[in-house]
Each structure stands twice: as C-alpha cells, then as structure tokens.
Amino acid sequence: MEIKIQDIEHIREAAREFINQIGDKRVFAFYGKMGAGKTTFVKAICEELGVEDVITSPTFAIINEYSITSSPSPLPSTIYHFDFYRIKKLEEVYDMGYEDYFYSGALCFIEWPELIEEVLPDDAVRVHIEVQPDDSRLVFTE
C-alpha cells in the first residue's frame, strides 16, 4: 500500500483509501518521526469510520477506546488507539494487558510501536508515514 497525502485538506480522502485496503487486518503499527502526522492520520481514519467521539492522542492515557456507531461491514465496531511514546519499560505494556486488546478482533492503531516491537502480533501491519520535501506525507506499508 502506498498513499500520498498532498496536504491536510486531502487527509480524509487518504483515510478512505486506507480503510478500503484494511481487509481482514486488525492491528496497525504507525511509524514516523515526531510531527509526521501519525495522530492526525489515525484521527482522520477514525472519523471516516464513523467515530463520533472526540478523537485525541492517547499520549498520557496510553490507550483510547472509540466506538464506531455504524461500522462498515465487516469491520469491527471498536477501535483501540495506542500511543506508547511514554512507555519506559516493556513491563508496563504487560501490566496493561496488551494481549486483551491486540487479539480482541477490534481495530488497533498503535503509535510509537518501536518501543513495544517484541510484543507486536506477527500479522501487525507496519505503516510508515514520511514527510516529503514538498511537505506532503507518504504513507506506505512494508
């Protein structure tokens, strides 16, 4: 998958394209430098999926849960949005019961997965967001 986000005005279009390519995958690990737009893109995806809650970065809470009121079949009706930026030790991830989330069948969007790489499910989709010289963003998977 490769999606170009020309500017913020086109992010919802890119989010729709991303959703169309989700298939049966459920865990998505978002890689990118600080300020690359990980949270902004996840927010756009959630909005396009029909989340009506206020969507914010879970930097301090580590995890936010959102409900999709009119889930497009066959996608689940729950989204877990993680931000592991503040994780200091992997034990914190064990203590929060990560397996209950990652293997729940819900959509999981993970920011800063580098810090928990060893517990990511084998089938997690690694999504990279890179800032381009023209300030657009390139979203691609491995």
Side-chain angles (χ1 to χ4, degrees):
M1 168 189 332
E2 187 172 298
I3 301 169
K4 184 171 184 174
I5 305 171
Q6 192 58 46
D7 51 42
I8 195 72
E9 288 78 30
H10 293 93
I11 197 164
R12 299 285 292 261
E13 179 182 309
R16 283 191 297 276
E17 189 175 337
F18 183 88
I19 292 164
N20 288 335
Q21 297 184 44
I22 284 178
D24 63 351
K25 299 297 184 185
R26 294 295 176 257
V27 179
F28 297 86
F30 287 84
Y31 296 83
K33 293 181 180 178
M34 183 77 72
K38 297 179 296 295
T39 300
T40 304
F41 191 54
V42 168
K43 179 179 178 183
I45 293 167
C46 291
E47 289 171 348
E48 285 299 312
L49 285 170
V51 171
E52 294 178 0
D53 300 323
V54 175
I55 303 161
T56 59
S57 173
T59 301
F60 294 100
I62 299 177
I63 180 172
N64 287 344
E65 179 179 346
Y66 306 115
S67 294
I68 303 172
T69 53
S70 56
S71 178
S73 183
L75 295 177
S77 60
T78 301
I79 297 171
Y80 296 117
H81 180 194
F82 300 86
D83 185 333
F84 289 116
Y85 183 74
R86 297 194 180 280
I87 291 293
K88 302 285 187 241
K89 297 182 286 189
L90 199 55
E91 288 77 26
E92 294 175 63
V93 180
Y94 291 121
D95 291 345
M96 69 177 280
Y98 77 94
E99 293 164 315
D100 294 338
Y101 299 104
F102 291 0
Y103 299 100
S104 67
L107 286 172
C108 294
F109 299 135
I110 304 165
E111 296 184 45
W112 299 103
E114 301 89 335
L115 302 173
I116 62 151
E117 203 65 52
E118 60 194 78
V119 299
L120 282 176
D122 292 337
D123 63 347
V125 178
R126 285 157 171 79
V127 181
H128 299 269
I129 301 178
E130 292 182 355
V131 179
Q132 302 300 292
D134 64 357
D135 211 32
S136 65
R137 303 304 196 260
L138 184 63
V139 178
F140 62 94
T141 57
E142 293 178 7

